[in-house]
Amino acid sequence: MDEVEWIHRHPKAEDLRIGLINWAGTYLTFGAYKNTVTATAKSLGRRQIWDLLVSNEHETQAVVRLKSLKGLYLLCEADGTVCHGQPRTSHHGCFLLRFHRNSKWTLQCIISGRYLESDGEDVFCNSRVLSAYHMWTPRPALHVHVTLYSPLHHTFARADHSVGRIWVDAPVPCLEECGFLLHFKDGCYHLETSTHHFLSHVDRLVTQPSPQTAFHMQVRPRGLVALCDGEGGTLYPQGTHLLLGVGSNPVRGAEWFILQHFPTWVSLKSKTRKFISVLYDAAVCAASERLTPMSLFQFECDSDSPTLQLRSANGCYLARRHHRVVMADGYPLESDTFFRVHWNCGKIILQSSCGRFLGIGANGLLMANATIPGPSEELAIQFANRPFLILRGRYGYVGCSTEHDLIQCNMDQPDCIQLLPCHQGIYHFQAQGGSFWSITSLGTFRPWGKFALNFCIELRGSNLLTVLAPNGFYLRADRSGTLLADSEDITKECIWEF
């Protein structure tokens, strides 16, 4: 695996979205029904998320537009008011974005030369004289479970818990150690590993977050971030082994990482409970009784399409070849690498582009033979690179609140749901204290159950899923903020980002 040439994908558009926080700690917010823009929200929700559209970028500045999830733009009018709508001219809605050393941004209207500012509630562009009121802190709006990719070294950050360090040496992000939780608190970020340890300023992993694990983040367009300790030090890979540590002399942009959503890697098992694995000649078979790196597949699926692609650790995709044999030698846009996915109680059935279903042949090879799927075409699927889930729905993250005894779905900061695999896509959900999720007669949840319940997970996109609860209904994010299991059909409120 060390010799694998892994082609890194550019960040998706949703990975580049941001929230902007003013001097008072509130977020730039577009109106739900009117074209107003305010700064009163205290947490990052859908109306606080903006696409940053870059038309011209230099080292310390860029020309940008801010586009909301409604498809409308942040606009500065001649009288200094700020609204939300469609640009009337080519420069209307354009801002000169400047990056400041304190990790802040300023946005200056191209037409009037006035700076975007807020009084803690209203937003306007009145002054051409720069002050602290014009400073905005960018917060990446992508899901908190991320990878850190070094474009200089072409490798990913990897936590090594045996020595309590983080190395930037993983060519393929298929291990759970390559995933990190990026917690935002009091304007700073804390980097948490998959075993719930935190990176400190002295390059060690520690068990609790503290001021010594707090980093300031410099954010640039196109997904680039750098983490600083606030005292002149910056995180970057150091030495021949690329230890991630704080230093003051990064070279050639070594401090910049591309922040992306942690990818989904799965394992597949045949009816005989053998792992589907890639052999060295790219053949795919069900022969291994233990999980190996060549039994891992990246699950790539567009939520708007019923088809998926499975990318193996050799960097290639599973593809239907001559004589209906499936090989791991496909290319990204090749039609034979797309398979239609059918879910059946936590198992998947894959249908090739020729209409035949994938199954295990008598010789153990994965083949597209069957015209009608049966038990031999059902494949058990499980997460291979994450021991927990972080769920984000339409109104926020799933988590517990001191103000409620029920599990909520509108939190700014998430709780980890520990996954205890059972079989065939069935999992037990364990709360952070070690107790289990329990369900009430009303379809709500509490985090202190004594007995494990069965939850069925079905993947609906590369990082999207649905959850079938023990009562037979889908988990749904309710507008009230309470997590419910009461939906017979899969609606937008039943789709969870993870």
Side-chain angles (χ1 to χ4, degrees), residues 27 135 140 160 163 190 262 272-273 361 426 441 476 490 493:
Y27 288 81
M135 297 290 175
D160 185 350
V163 295
H190 301 261
F262 188 45
T272 59
R273 301 196 175 189
I426 306 298
S441 59
R476 180 177 69 84
I490 298 174
E493 291 182 328

Side-chain angles (χ1 to χ4, degrees), residues 390-410:
I390 300 286
L391 296 181
R392 182 165 72 169
R394 289 184 65 80
Y395 309 114
Y397 287 101
V398 171
C400 297
S401 167
T402 56
E403 301 172 1
H404 303 88
D405 64 345
L406 299 175
I407 295 176
Q408 302 295 296
C409 60
N410 62 350

Side-chain angles (χ1 to χ4, degrees), residues 213-346:
T213 66
F215 291 90
H216 298 276
M217 180 183 287
Q218 294 187 40
V219 181
R220 296 290 184 271
R222 311 187 204 283
L224 286 172
V225 301
L227 293 168
C228 313
D229 65 0
E231 299 178 355
T234 304
L235 272 180
Y236 60 94
Q238 302 177 31
T240 56
H241 297 290
L242 301 179
L243 170 69
L244 184 62
V246 174
S248 56
N249 294 302
V251 295
R252 295 188 297 153
E255 72 274 26
W256 294 105
F257 292 88
I258 294 177
L259 204 61
Q260 285 184 268
H261 201 148
F262 188 45
T264 303
W265 287 75
V266 299
S267 64
L268 301 171
K269 270 187 178 181
S270 67
K271 185 179 70 171
T272 59
R273 301 196 175 189
K274 300 287 182 65
F275 284 104
I276 308 297
S277 303
V278 178
L279 304 181
Y280 288 102
D281 60 355
V284 184
C285 68
S288 177
E289 295 184 353
R290 63 186 184 89
L291 190 65
T292 69
M294 300 311 290
S295 308
L296 304 180
F297 299 93
Q298 186 174 348
F299 191 99
E300 298 185 11
C301 177
D302 187 341
S303 59
D304 297 325
S305 169
T307 60
L308 69 82
Q309 292 178 292
L310 292 170
R311 190 184 192 189
S312 76
N314 69 3
C316 296
Y317 291 84
L318 297 195
R320 180 184 60 86
R321 295 306 187 210
H322 297 298
H323 308 296
R324 301 172 186 166
V325 173
V326 175
M327 303 286 287
D329 61 359
Y331 296 96
L333 299 179
E334 193 177 351
S335 61
D336 287 333
T337 66
F338 289 88
F339 299 92
R340 190 179 183 92
V341 59
H342 306 269
W343 285 92
N344 183 24
C345 299

